[in-house]
Structures are given as structure tokens and as C-alpha cells.
Amino acid sequence: MKITSCVLLACFCFGACAYAADKLIVLKAARMFDGKSNSLVQNGVVVVKDDKIVEAGSNVQIPDGARVVDLGDATLCPGFMDAHTHLTADFSGNYNERRLQELDLNVSEQAIRATEFARVTIEAGFTTVRDLGSHFVASREFVDVALRNSINKRVIVGPRMLVATRGIGATGGHFDPTNGFRDFLFGREPDYTDGIANGPDEIRKAVRFEVKNGADVIKAAVSGGVLSLTDEVDTPQLTPAEMAALVDESHRLRKKVAVHCHGDQVAREAIDAGVDSIEHGSFMRPDTLTMMRKKGTFLTPTLMATEWIMGKIDNYPSALQAKAKAAAAARSDMFRNAVKMGVRISFGTDAAVFPHGQNAKEFKLMVDLGMSPIEALKSATGNDAELLGIAQKVGTLEKGKLADVIAVPGDPTADITATERVSFVMKEGRIIRQGPSAAEKAEKTAFPDVSAMAD
Ligand SMILES: [Zn+2]
């Protein structure tokens, strides 16, 4: 008996393993965008084996025995990327209410909520995100690292994450978590373990502390910001010497540097210091954009963030309203100039400022401000992969790349809002979504038919 069951088990296992090795999935659609070309191709086909693309192109021959997923009048694209998210947070509601809630927030509960933010993000077609800052006042937790690791271990479903842990910034600056509260309310002044550092040596210490705790990328606030209470939006907050130390230490540890920066003067200093991307960049002038183009610095415009805040301006205290209006008034011209001048543009939204899962609305904002639809699509695929330093693995539909493939209905170059209606998502060869999202399915089954349940 024992021998029989062992033999049976061995046969079953052998069969299953042989099947996995031979498993081919073919994705077919009316069109395909490969993440780098200047036009779509007709009759797109992507052949996937295990977690990789083995063939991609127009009218590629379909291997015998493959499982074919025909997505019809749709466009296959590389999984979208968002270079600026905060998956562990939600800043989209009333500002003062949220600030109060943060004071009695159970960080574990917030981590559980973040698993839902991760799910809606990947279901919206974003298979990779950069997470640029996760910190809860007076907490030692690294929720972004935990979220990334849980996704990598397939404990939960979500996008591939490159995380920044705490944002690095100056005392009293945009990232100081005690900004706007009474002195010593939280028992001590924040230090490098909270990302708050002053002087080149402390900046290096903060970078090392973050990398030690799991950071994939380093984020710093070099200028003031919109959603912080006690600074001006465009003032410089790190010195050129601090930025030089920031970039040097991060690059020595092979990490990219993304800087939150609205002001023009400090943007020039940051570009000169060698940062990899300027996030927001609202007040950058044409000669600063010229510097960026020459140096190859990426601009991550986060148009959605300003758009959301301006649409709900009454949700914010008056001091913040004034800062948001000034940034919004400047950023459209800045973005138009950046497009015209050929600055490298990475796709990034600041998701968390608006509800997670709406990331793709950024595409239309980019196109409305003068970017061609195909360039907007490239920003969220090939360009972002390059900025994130993962272009060897993802970002394009090419032989040998990981099979991160999505489908949008119709032709996104004719109607860019098609990107907001993703219908199919595959990450590393696994189908995450085909048809309705988990939330849409849950809505349908919220009031189940009782008679059917009697069975
Ligand atoms: Zn942000």
C-alpha cells in the first residue's frame, strides 16, 4: 500500500513538473506596443514560457499545444510602471482629519490596508512601482519593505516594488514628521533613523541606515513641498554639499537617487550634484530643463497629484491651498517646455495623494499638455525601466524579458484613456487579472442569490 502511494505520488509529481516545463501561454490581440518603438504593430503576439517572454511581435507563429489567450480588439503592452507612489499610505481625504487619524493609527492595521492598495495598483495594469517614502510618525516599522517582501514571496498580490524606506530631509523640512506639531510632542527630535539629517556626514549615515534596512532607492526632499505645514514650497532644504554626499553615498551603494523638488534654484544644484530624477519639478525654468536634458536627468512630473489637490482644494488648510495653487500654476508650462525640449520623462503619479488604482489618469494629463500618446506610453514602460535600473529584465515586450504583459481595449494611441480600462494583467507569467477586477467581482457577489446557496 505504502509502495503504491509512493509510486503514484512520484508519477503525479513527475507529470506536473513536466507540464510546467512545457507550459506555453500565447497572448494575442489586434495590436501590440513593445515599450520602445514609435508605433504599434498589428496582430500582436506574445509567447510566454514560465515567467519569461520567448517570442513577441506581429503575426508570430503560435506553437503547437500552447494555451492561447485571445484578447481581441485590444493592445498588448508591457506592464505599466509608476516611478512615484506611496503604497503604504492614503493622503487623499480631508487633510486635518487624516493628520489626527495618524496619531492613533495602528501601523499593523495600516500595513493590512496597504495590501489592498497593492492589489488595486497591479489590477490597474501597474506591474512595477517605485515606492518613494513610507514612514509613520514615531514608528520604527518599515511597512514598505514588508509589503515588497510579501509580494516577492507571493504571500500577497501586488506590483514589483522598489522601495525607499524613509524620505531623507532636513530638520523642519518637507519630510520632518513632526513638522507643524508642538516641540517634543513625540518625545524626541527626529534623527537619521527617521530620515532627518543635517550636514554631509549625517546624510551619508541616513543613506547607510536605509540601505541596511532594505531600501532599493534613495529619496530625499531637497526643496519644500505642498503637503507640509511649516515650509515654503520652493525653498532649498539641502545644501549643495549635502546633495553631493547624498548622491555619492547612494551611488557607491549602487542605489539611484530620486529627489522631491519644486524649486528652480535647488533643482539646478540637485541636477549638478548628479541626482537620477527630479520628482515634481513645478517651478523649473527652461534653462534648468536644458541642464537636465544635457545631463540625462529624468523628470517625474506627478501631474495627478496637483490635479487631485486642486479638485479637492477645500480639503486642505489655507496655507497648503496657497502652495498648491502656486505649484499648479507653474507646472503646466514647465511640463510643456520639458516635452518640447526633449527632457527624459519618467511616468510617476504620487499615488496616495489620490486614491490608489487611478494611476493611469496621468497619461491623459500628459497628452493634454503636449506629449504624444506613444511618448506617454514609453514613459511608463521603457523609460521607467531605465530610470529604475531594471531595463535588462522588464519594460519592453522582447525575448528574454520577464513576462509582465497587460492589455488595454482598442488603440491607446487613438484614445489615451484606454489605459484607464486595463482588461488583462500578467506578471512574471502569472495571470493576475482577466476581465473584471477583484473589487468588481466582489461587488457582483455582495448580495448572493440565497436560493443558489441552498445547494
Ligand atoms: Zn510623493
Side-chain angles (χ1 to χ4, degrees):
M1 188 68 185
K2 257 186 188 169
I3 292 168
T4 318
S5 57
C6 276
V7 170
L8 274 175
L9 200 66
C11 288
F12 182 76
C13 183
F14 178 75
C17 297
Y19 174 70
D22 296 330
K23 195 169 73 172
L24 285 175
I25 300 180
V26 173
L27 308 175
K28 266 181 72 176
R31 292 160 220 90
M32 186 186 104
F33 168 62
D34 66 4
K36 59 177 189 174
S37 301
N38 287 326
S39 57
L40 309 183
V41 296
Q42 301 299 309
N43 302 319
V45 177
V46 180
V47 184
V48 176
K49 183 176 181 190
D50 300 327
D51 61 344
K52 293 215 174 59
I53 296 171
V54 291
E55 210 59 67
S58 175
N59 292 314
V60 168
Q61 200 184 351
I62 295 175
D64 289 342
R67 175 185 163 199
V68 178
V69 179
D70 189 345
L71 296 156
D73 182 20
T75 302
L76 295 169
C77 300
F80 292 147
M81 301 189 195
D82 188 331
H84 193 133
T85 68
H86 303 276
L87 281 193
T88 63
D90 178 4
F91 309 137
S92 66
N94 179 281
Y95 184 89
N96 282 329
E97 273 176 28
R98 196 248 315 156
R99 229 160 155 252
L100 264 180
Q101 282 163 3
E102 262 176 26
L103 299 181
D104 76 351
L105 179 78
N106 179 320
V107 176
S108 302
E109 185 183 333
Q110 184 64 15
I112 291 168
R113 281 198 71 199
T115 64
E116 189 52 30
F117 301 154
R119 175 181 277 281
V120 297
T121 301
I122 193 167
E123 288 191 339
F126 288 80
T127 51
T128 304
V129 302
R130 204 164 60 156
D131 202 78
L132 291 185
S134 167
H135 185 226
F136 304 92
V137 62
S139 164
R140 313 293 299 174
E141 298 300 323
F142 290 88
V143 179
D144 55 350
V145 173
L147 195 64
R148 176 199 65 194
N149 293 353
S150 302
I151 291 167
N152 288 349
K153 291 173 185 167
R154 296 189 178 165
V155 175
I156 55 166
V157 172
R160 176 180 303 101
M161 291 177 75
L162 278 78
V163 307
T165 71
R166 287 85 165 100
I168 294 175
T171 294
H174 179 59
F175 284 165
D176 186 335
T178 62
N179 201 335
F181 288 107
R182 173 163 53 79
D183 194 20
F184 285 94
L185 181 64
F186 302 103
R188 66 173 175 87
E189 189 64 15
D191 61 19
Y192 72 95
T193 62
D194 306 285
I196 301 307
N198 300 284
D201 287 350
E202 269 199 22
I203 297 272
R204 285 186 193 274
K205 200 170 172 182
V207 171
R208 290 170 181 172
F209 175 79
E210 296 191 352
V211 173
K212 170 185 162 185
N213 282 288
D216 304 298
V217 54
I218 297 298
K219 166 81 177 298
V222 302
S223 91
V226 173
L227 296 185
S228 42
L229 277 170
T230 61
D231 57 354
E232 289 177 50
V233 65
D234 61 341
T235 49
Q237 293 187 343
L238 291 191
T239 64
E242 287 171 328
M243 287 188 269
L246 173 82
V247 172
D248 181 59
E249 194 60 39
S250 304
H251 285 177
R252 287 166 77 90
L253 298 174
R254 303 202 178 105
K255 308 297 175 199
K256 303 264 187 171
V257 180
V259 292
H260 160 105
C261 178
H262 288 281
D264 182 65
Q265 177 201 327
V266 73
R268 298 173 71 86
E269 293 166 354
I271 296 159
D272 200 39
V275 302
D276 298 287
S277 63
I278 298 276
E279 309 295 307
H280 319 302
S282 309
F283 299 98
M284 289 196 296
R285 299 158 60 94
D287 49 352
T288 309
L289 295 169
T290 304
M291 271 180 82
M292 286 184 86
R293 192 195 58 225
K294 284 186 183 156
K295 204 135 185 186
T297 317
F298 278 94
L299 166 68
T300 314
T302 69
L303 304 173
M304 264 300 281
T306 339
E307 201 70 12
W308 175 267
I309 294 169
M310 291 306 288
K312 311 257 177 191
I313 196 81
D314 292 339
N315 273 343
Y316 302 88
S318 57
L320 269 50
Q321 291 185 17
K323 295 204 284 183
K325 284 176 188 166
R331 69 88 152 121
S332 299
D333 278 346
M334 182 283 296
F335 183 78
R336 275 194 206 97
N337 288 337
V339 171
K340 267 189 230 149
M341 295 167 70
V343 172
R344 294 209 285 181
I345 294 175
S346 38
F347 184 102
T349 63
D350 220 350
V353 171
F354 60 91
H356 294 284
Q358 298 187 22
N359 317 53
K361 289 184 178 176
E362 180 88 8
F363 284 108
K364 182 173 187 299
L365 300 177
M366 294 168 108
V367 170
D368 285 351
L369 290 174
M371 199 174 201
S372 71
I374 201 86
E375 288 300 325
L377 292 170
K378 274 192 225 173
S379 76
T381 52
N383 284 14
D384 267 6
E386 212 181 304
L387 168 63
L388 272 54
I390 53 175
Q392 295 299 316
K393 284 187 182 171
V394 285
T396 52
L397 298 181
E398 288 178 288
K399 190 175 176 174
K401 296 277 172 86
L402 286 171
D404 285 9
V405 191
I406 63 165
V408 302
D411 177 350
T413 60
D415 174 9
I416 194 68
T417 68
T419 53
E420 299 167 25
R421 297 183 292 280
V422 164
S423 57
F424 175 87
V425 179
M426 170 183 273
K427 181 184 162 208
E428 295 179 13
R430 298 175 79 221
I431 296 173
I432 304 289
R433 170 177 181 183
Q434 190 170 359
S437 66
E440 286 160 357
K441 280 182 198 159
E443 213 164 85
K444 275 185 196 154
T445 54
F447 301 101
D449 183 347
V450 177
S451 61
M453 286 174 75
D455 296 345

